Amino acid sequence: MHVIAAALRRMGLFRTSVLTLAPLLLVACASQDEAPPVCPEAIVIKDAERLVKFEGPGRDLTDVRFELDIDGVQLACEYDDDQIESALGIRLIAARGPADTDRAASFSYFVAVATSNREILAREEFDLTVPFEGNRTRVIALEEVFPNIPLRPGRDGADYLVYIGLQLTADELQYNRENR
């Protein structure tokens, strides 16, 4: 894991802010005379876009600690010499369940950069806790990640993909597949 983290640091994949979406998503705005750069496609992995966290072995509605969904992603980019600097905004919706005693949803999500033929170049996992303050039972969280993608000669943003998903256990993945 440390080898992957070191490689990601060299590639410049990192997270900066929680619960705010800075104006950096406007970085890709070009003048009216020039076409905006081609950005990599941002793809939310279907089986990993939802997490239902249960308390204990039960799978009844009363056993739900929280539910979490990736509600959308937005990627903006600009080219800088031999790399693509991008800003990835991730919108997450957390809903508190009846079995929650922590008043928070703690989970991990990942961002992976791949070539267009799906060869993973870098992957990083991020931990996040979304609090349910006061009597709130539903919270929207906005995350930002800034993947800097090394640009291979003769390539552009269309030659890369950015995958986003929630980090799931095998049981959580199975639950998602059975409950679409």
Side-chain angles (χ1 to χ4, degrees):
M1 186 64 176
H2 295 290
V3 174
I4 293 172
L8 291 170
R9 278 193 284 280
R10 284 194 300 274
M11 292 188 73
L13 187 61
F14 59 94
R15 178 184 71 171
T16 60
S17 66
V18 177
L19 303 176
T20 61
L21 190 58
L24 288 175
L25 287 177
L26 301 176
V27 142
C29 294
S31 74
Q32 292 179 356
D33 296 339
E34 59 185 77
V38 176
C39 290
E41 182 180 1
I43 300 169
V44 177
I45 297 175
K46 193 73 170 160
D47 285 342
E49 69 183 347
R50 183 163 198 254
L51 168 63
V52 179
K53 191 62 95 172
F54 293 96
E55 182 65 37
R59 294 297 176 260
D60 187 70
L61 176 62
T62 60
D63 299 317
V64 174
R65 287 182 41 221
F66 65 86
E67 294 182 46
L68 182 76
D69 291 288
I70 297 176
D71 188 48
V73 296
Q74 182 177 0
L75 184 92
C77 70
E78 76 176 14
Y79 289 72
D80 184 27
D81 296 326
D82 59 348
Q83 70 177 352
I84 300 171
E85 295 179 355
S86 59
L88 174 65
I90 306 167
R91 179 183 155 111
L92 302 148
I93 298 178
R96 186 172 180 234
D100 175 53
T101 58
D102 298 334
R103 302 199 62 77
S106 295
F107 59 94
S108 298
Y109 69 93
F110 64 88
V111 175
V113 175
T115 62
S116 57
N117 64 357
R118 295 178 170 75
E119 172 194 345
I120 301 295
L121 301 174
R123 182 186 184 282
E124 189 166 355
E125 191 174 313
F126 303 98
D127 296 325
L128 183 62
T129 298
V130 176
F132 295 106
E133 296 175 350
N135 63 354
R136 298 182 99 188
T137 58
R138 185 174 156 102
V139 178
I140 297 172
L142 301 173
E143 279 281 283
E144 280 186 294
V145 179
F146 297 90
N148 291 328
I149 303 166
L151 202 53
R152 295 178 178 169
R155 304 286 185 189
D156 66 15
D159 295 308
Y160 298 92
L161 303 167
V162 177
Y163 291 110
I164 304 98
L166 298 170
Q167 190 63 45
L168 305 174
T169 65
D171 288 340
E172 292 164 344
L173 179 61
Q174 182 70 26
Y175 180 86
N176 282 358
R177 289 177 174 165
E178 291 173 355
N179 294 283
R180 286 188 191 182

